[in-house]
Amino acid sequence: SRSAMDHQPKFFENLSGAGKAIAVLTSGGDAQGMNAAVRAVVRMGIYVNAKVYFIYEGYQGVVDGGDNIVEVSWESVSSILQVGGTVIGSARCKSFRTREGRLQAALNLVQRGITNLCVIGGDGSLTGANLFREEWSGLLEELAQKGKIDAEAVKKYAYLNIVGMVGSIDNDFCGTDMTIGTDSALHRIIEVVDAIMTTAQSHQRTFVLEVMGRHCGYLALVSALACGADWVFIPEYPPEEGWEDTMCSKLSENRARKKRLNIIIVAEGAIDCHNKPITSEKVKDLVVQRLGFDTRVTILGHVQRGGTPSAFDRILASRMGVEAVLALLEATPDTPACVVSLSGNQAVRLPLMECVQMTQEVQKAMDEGRFLEAVRLRGRSFENNLNTYKLLSHKRPDAELPKTNFNVAVLNVGAPAAGMNAAVRAAVRVGITEGHKIFAVIDGFEGFARGKIKEISWGDVGGWTGQGGSILGTKRTLPAKYLEKIAEQMRTNNINALMVIGGFEAYLGLLELSAAREKYDEFCVPMVMVPATVSNNVPGSDFSIGADTALNTITDTCDRIKQSASGTKRRVFIIETMGGYCGYLANMGALAAGADAAYIFEEQFDIRELQANVEHLTEKMKTSIQRGLVLRNENCNENYTTDFIYQLYSEEGKGVFDCRKNVLGHMQQGGAPSPFDRNFGTKISAKAMQWISKKLKETYRKGKVFANTDDSVCLLGMRRRNLVFQPVAELKSETDFVHRIPQEQWWLKLRPLMKILAKYKTSYDVSDSGQLEHVAMLPKEAETGAI
């Protein structure tokens, strides 16, 4: 329903906030990343010439007025990006629930000319905001009758615009894939689980972990998926009658298989099928009574709300904050209050009340015992997580497994990336469940040629999700020079399909193998690639396994460096990141760390640009923020090296600031995988193995697998909102082979965001935003890329 006018690109420079006043408040439970959202709203608001106000202590501050409502400047939000919680405070407010309270609130806003409200909070806070908006004109009339404001003000401030952002660690809001704070809460949980695993292993203990989620099992479910927990209890999907026996036999089976520890995760709102609570203590007592296992309970509590926000949450919140201001600038009296949210990796606007109603539907379904419906209403992402967890956590007895007589080989290719092991584990377990024999290849194509290949079992991959690097071993070697030997190994081991987990080399490798099909029948089998590289430079996928972990490493390091720079004053740091020619890490790292500039290969720069950056930093040193942070991708320019830029800045900044440089290097490839990478790796790899099974059935003729069409060599990638299989042959036209990057990259659209938040004048194409979508119940077969 877009009119002809909409086809011209829309630029935000043409939207002005002059004469508008925007207030931002945080309400309800705090969540990491709220500050990043506040910062983005303030800076984007000031950027478009609007006045921006902080409201302290949530709705309490709106009602109390006075110095709880303060106009803020650009520098007011400096250094809050890396702080958890909310610096403007949040309070539960009884008086805002009364009409008198809202009357006072309206007066406080009108006196300052504020008619645009940006609310960051949970569903309760957003519902309150919507009611306030509906009553607004009535409240103003009442204020005029009481003589508190004049008739002019009633006309001038006739409408209140509201935009919401969901900040809630529970991820319990329908219509948003990820709420602000969820990813950080998962980071806290996973850190704890990783730590507990080592002690549990030492003592052969069982640990029962209670995580937050009174009405929503998202945190419990995803952390169970990310750490390979033995059992998980969530409110949406209560266990069947007799679960006590099932769980205990599962735990003792695991012990019999030499597994030294058990992890059971319980959401605080977990219930059984009669809606009776299942508590962590109850689970512990059960295990002790029935099995006599040494069992401990750990309740994570408010740890989950604390700590610094993850890179994902900072980027999410920064994008949402900017989008929220755009939504307020474009709001008319007729547009309903909306929430800004992410779907896949695309910003969307949704009617606030539709989301709230859907969220309440879930609760209703749970209260009435319609649990399958509750899971469906939570959305595709939740349902996917649940199905994947069920698939991977419980091994069916051998007698019940189908036997396909197919052999599938799994290998890692390229440089190590965190999350590769999670992907291997998922592939092995799904493959076994589908009835195949799975062979693990050690050391990539090189190991393959040397016959380093062995069958791998369900138990062999236990505990792999949390391990960084590549346990199978990985090499950059391409298969072309070993074709003869690899074909021989495929023949000897009767390999009927190939799953390659890796980066750009994996993609090149599959192209080489498919080209070799005319010469070797052995390569006429289904082959699939799952992208795993810190550089995120694989064509056909917006994300690759390992990039999120690397981004968190960069962000953490930048936080520490910023602290050092703030202490010394007037210091600029130049930080070199990895990524080959792909600027993803430098660009997104800059956005997450609040850097002043990021030099990348995709956006050519010259000496004038460098000079402008130096001048910009010189101006910045005159303000209260006396530090600078500049990121540089390792291959952004062969002549403007990190040393060159360092020397240039040192010379030009003489007397104003001094300069230091830091090359991050291989620490970006290491470390325990982030929750996102574990989860993404697990889900994408499970899906790839299911594709292999489908292709094997399709291509099995006369006792032999024979596949030689383009669509039997695919790359599975996430594109915008969906996971899609793309023939590698078709991706050739989208690839810049010289620089090993895709020709078009989605994240370049976010480039202006970083510049805006660092106070550079820039152009920003916002044609994508602005369509109000509806919360749809999605059709069954649609598969989202949401993690």
Side-chain angles (χ1 to χ4, degrees):
S1 65
R2 302 178 75 173
S3 61
M5 277 181 61
D6 276 346
H7 288 299
Q8 276 93 36
K10 181 170 73 173
F11 290 101
F12 100 114
E13 306 87 290
N14 307 334
L15 293 168
S16 165
K20 291 191 173 173
I22 300 172
V24 57
L25 70 102
T26 52
S27 170
D30 68 319
Q32 307 97 322
M34 280 182 164
N35 289 328
V38 168
R39 169 181 179 265
V41 170
V42 168
R43 293 198 164 172
M44 183 68 171
I46 292 172
Y47 199 97
V48 296
N49 292 318
K51 282 184 162 185
V52 186
Y53 291 83
F54 271 170
I55 297 177
Y56 287 100
E57 312 310 334
Y59 286 119
Q60 194 64 53
V62 191
V63 177
D64 295 347
D67 52 11
N68 286 303
I69 307 177
V70 186
E71 190 179 346
V72 287
S73 69
W74 190 273
E75 279 107 57
S76 307
V77 290
S78 160
S79 303
I80 67 171
L81 186 61
Q82 61 270 29
V83 180
T86 160
V87 294
I88 56 176
S90 171
R92 309 241 173 241
C93 173
K94 287 208 176 79
S95 47
F96 192 74
R97 294 188 175 167
T98 65
R99 187 165 164 104
E100 290 74 65
R102 293 192 290 275
L103 195 64
Q104 184 58 46
L107 178 62
N108 291 331
L109 294 184
V110 168
Q111 282 170 343
R112 294 165 178 80
I114 299 170
T115 54
N116 295 283
L117 207 51
C118 178
V119 180
I120 308 166
D123 56 348
S125 317
L126 299 182
T127 317
N130 194 58
L131 175 64
F132 191 36
R133 177 177 182 276
E134 283 169 354
E135 292 181 349
W136 182 258
S137 52
L139 292 170
L140 294 199
E141 273 161 23
E142 192 177 324
L143 288 169
Q145 275 160 13
K146 293 186 171 166
K148 300 212 172 154
I149 58 174
D150 56 25
E152 187 56 38
V154 179
K155 262 210 289 258
K156 190 174 173 188
Y157 304 122
Y159 301 102
L160 176 69
N161 297 317
I162 285 201
V163 173
M165 280 184 266
V166 190
S168 149
I169 65 167
D170 294 341
N171 202 21
D172 56 358
F173 196 78
C174 292
T176 61
D177 278 351
M178 286 293 265
T179 58
I180 295 168
T182 305
D183 188 63
S184 302
L186 286 170
H187 272 260
R188 296 299 92 78
I189 296 171
I190 294 302
E191 284 158 16
V192 171
V193 175
D194 285 355
I196 279 180
M197 287 236 182
T198 54
T199 160
Q201 210 127 15
S202 312
H203 295 282
Q204 297 207 30
R205 281 204 173 125
T206 296
F207 269 86
V208 181
L209 251 81
E210 184 182 304
V211 301
M212 282 188 169
R214 237 169 317 171
H215 308 292
C216 177
Y218 184 89
L219 290 178
L221 179 56
V222 174
S223 46
L225 193 58
C227 72
D230 298 85
W231 200 273
V232 63
F233 293 97
I234 57 173
E236 292 87 347
Y237 188 77
E240 289 159 15
E241 285 284 10
W243 59 268
E244 294 89 344
D245 302 332
T246 327
M247 183 181 81
C248 289
S249 64
K250 165 99 200 318
L251 295 178
S252 48
E253 246 171 66
N254 277 353
R255 283 294 167 97
R257 283 207 220 101
K258 302 275 187 294
K259 189 173 179 203
R260 293 178 58 90
L261 80 159
N262 306 107
I263 301 265
I264 299 165
I265 293 184
V266 185
E268 60 180 333
I271 46 175
D272 64 15
C273 50
H274 306 296
N275 254 320
K276 298 258 182 318
I278 295 177
T279 62
S280 39
E281 280 302 325
K282 184 176 167 182
V283 176
K284 174 196 157 170
D285 294 342
L286 186 75
V287 176
V288 173
Q289 281 158 14
R290 299 241 182 142
L291 301 171
F293 288 174
D294 185 358
T295 308
R296 297 283 187 276
V297 174
T298 298
I299 295 172
L300 293 189
H302 284 75
V303 166
Q304 297 160 84
R305 287 192 191 278
T308 175
S310 65
F312 181 94
D313 272 332
R314 297 180 192 197
I315 292 165
L316 171 71
S318 301
R319 289 179 68 182
M320 296 302 90
V322 167
E323 186 67 27
V325 173
L326 289 176
L328 286 171
L329 291 181
E330 295 180 317
T332 67
D334 311 321
T335 46
C338 74
V339 285
V340 288
S341 111
L342 262 205
S343 174
N345 63 25
Q346 198 182 344
V348 291
R349 293 180 198 172
L350 300 160
L352 186 143
M353 284 324 285
E354 275 183 33
C355 299
V356 169
Q357 274 149 2
M358 182 102 139
T359 306
Q360 289 164 352
E361 282 297 310
V362 183
Q363 194 52 47
K364 211 168 119 204
M366 278 156 44
D367 294 342
E368 293 168 10
R370 293 179 287 120
F371 294 110
L372 285 170
E373 181 67 2
V375 169
R376 214 169 62 82
L377 287 167
R378 276 272 180 244
R380 310 186 277 190
S381 159
F382 190 89
E383 208 171 353
N384 276 345
N385 282 320
L386 186 58
N387 293 335
T388 311
Y389 175 76
K390 289 195 285 196
L391 202 61
L392 296 173
S393 61
H394 304 288
K395 181 181 195 287
R396 305 208 326 244
D398 290 345
E400 286 178 30
L401 290 173
K403 280 279 172 283
T404 60
N405 294 325
F406 291 131
N407 296 341
V408 182
V410 178
L411 65 160
N412 290 164
V413 174
M420 276 182 163
N421 301 321
V424 173
R425 168 183 176 267
V428 169
R429 293 196 167 177
V430 173
I432 290 171
T433 306
E434 308 254 320
H436 315 316
K437 271 190 175 167
I438 309 291
F439 287 80
V441 178
I442 311 295
D443 296 342
F445 287 120
E446 198 175 306
F448 207 166
R450 296 197 184 137
K452 291 181 164 177
I453 177 169
K454 58 172 200 285
E455 193 184 340
I456 185 165
S457 71
W458 181 280
D460 291 341
V461 291
W464 277 30
T465 43
Q467 305 283 324
S470 159
I471 297 173
L472 292 183
T474 177
K475 286 263 189 287
R476 287 178 179 272
T477 325
L478 292 171
K481 57 181 191 190
Y482 298 117
L483 289 173
E484 186 74 47
K485 285 183 170 161
I486 294 175
E488 188 187 322
Q489 287 300 327
M490 301 262 299
R491 203 165 47 247
T492 316
N493 294 288
N494 189 22
I495 301 294
N496 310 109
L498 215 51
M499 176 156 162
V500 185
I501 300 164
F504 204 84
E505 282 87 3
Y507 165 66
L508 294 176
L510 282 194
L511 286 171
E512 291 180 0
L513 291 180
S514 64
R517 277 175 162 181
E518 35 195 281
K519 196 170 167 196
Y520 300 98
D521 276 2
E522 288 83 356
F523 299 138
C524 295
V525 296
M527 303 186 207
V528 67
M529 168 181 168
V530 169
T533 163
V534 298
S535 306
N536 197 20
N537 64 334
V538 177
S541 190
D542 292 353
F543 292 116
S544 64
I545 300 166
D548 184 68
T549 305
L551 206 49
N552 276 296
T553 305
I554 293 169
T555 310
D556 288 349
T557 311
C558 287
D559 285 352
R560 293 180 180 197
I561 287 172
K562 264 170 90 169
Q563 241 175 358
S564 146
S566 300
T568 357
K569 294 274 186 296
R570 299 180 178 245
R571 180 162 282 181
V572 175
F573 271 90
I574 291 156
I575 295 172
E576 181 185 306
T577 68
M578 277 185 160
Y581 284 95
C582 175
Y584 180 80
L585 289 179
N587 189 67
M588 300 308 253
L591 191 54
D596 295 286
Y599 298 117
I600 59 173
F601 169 76
E602 291 88 347
E603 195 176 281
Q604 293 294 304
F605 59 98
D606 57 20
I607 196 74
R608 285 183 291 278
E609 192 100 12
L610 290 169
Q611 189 179 354
N613 290 149
V614 171
E615 284 163 10
H616 189 267
L617 284 165
T618 307
E619 280 308 300
K620 187 176 172 181
M621 295 300 159
K622 293 176 186 164
T623 71
S624 58
I625 319 169
Q626 301 190 341
R627 53 152 209 285
L629 194 64
V630 175
L631 271 66
R632 177 190 175 274
N633 157 276
E634 56 185 355
N635 289 349
C636 64
N637 186 302
E638 61 179 320
N639 292 316
Y640 297 146
T641 59
T642 302
D643 280 331
F644 176 91
I645 293 176
Y646 161 69
Q647 287 169 333
L648 180 85
Y649 273 51
S650 297
E651 179 60 34
E652 295 295 315
K654 263 190 191 154
V656 184
F657 58 81
D658 65 358
C659 198
R660 295 286 183 275
K661 64 172 192 277
N662 216 330
V663 176
L664 297 185
H666 281 76
M667 63 189 272
Q668 294 164 85
Q669 279 178 8
S674 66
F676 181 93
D677 280 333
R678 295 181 194 201
N679 203 341
F680 184 52
T682 299
K683 279 169 41 174
I684 196 170
S685 171
K687 200 173 160 70
M689 187 54 82
Q690 288 166 332
W691 177 87
I692 284 182
S693 299
K694 189 176 108 235
K695 283 288 178 222
L696 283 169
K697 284 191 197 87
E698 286 170 14
T699 56
Y700 185 68
R701 296 281 175 277
K702 300 184 186 135
K704 184 170 187 287
V705 171
F706 187 78
N708 68 347
T709 52
D710 279 351
D711 68 357
S712 62
V713 187
C714 278
L715 179 147
L716 172 55
M718 183 177 148
R719 282 270 169 110
R720 285 189 95 127
R721 303 187 191 184
N722 299 302
L723 288 173
V724 278
F725 289 95
Q726 304 144 98
V728 289
E730 287 173 17
L731 291 173
K732 273 162 105 167
S733 61
E734 301 178 18
T735 310
D736 169 354
F737 285 100
V738 179
H739 300 104
R740 302 160 51 104
I741 50 174
Q743 285 172 359
E744 289 200 358
Q745 306 188 79
W746 67 274
W747 52 265
L748 283 167
K749 276 211 181 92
L750 301 185
R751 189 103 173 115
L753 279 197
M754 188 207 87
K755 296 185 178 173
I756 289 168
L757 295 174
K759 219 172 184 174
Y760 281 94
K761 282 277 170 267
T762 181
S763 172
Y764 183 28
D765 180 348
V766 291
S767 315
D768 271 0
S769 50
Q771 276 68 49
L772 199 62
E773 300 189 12
H774 291 283
V775 186
M777 265 317 304
L778 298 147
K780 270 290 249 200
E781 54 281 2
E783 166 85 55
T784 182
I787 303 307

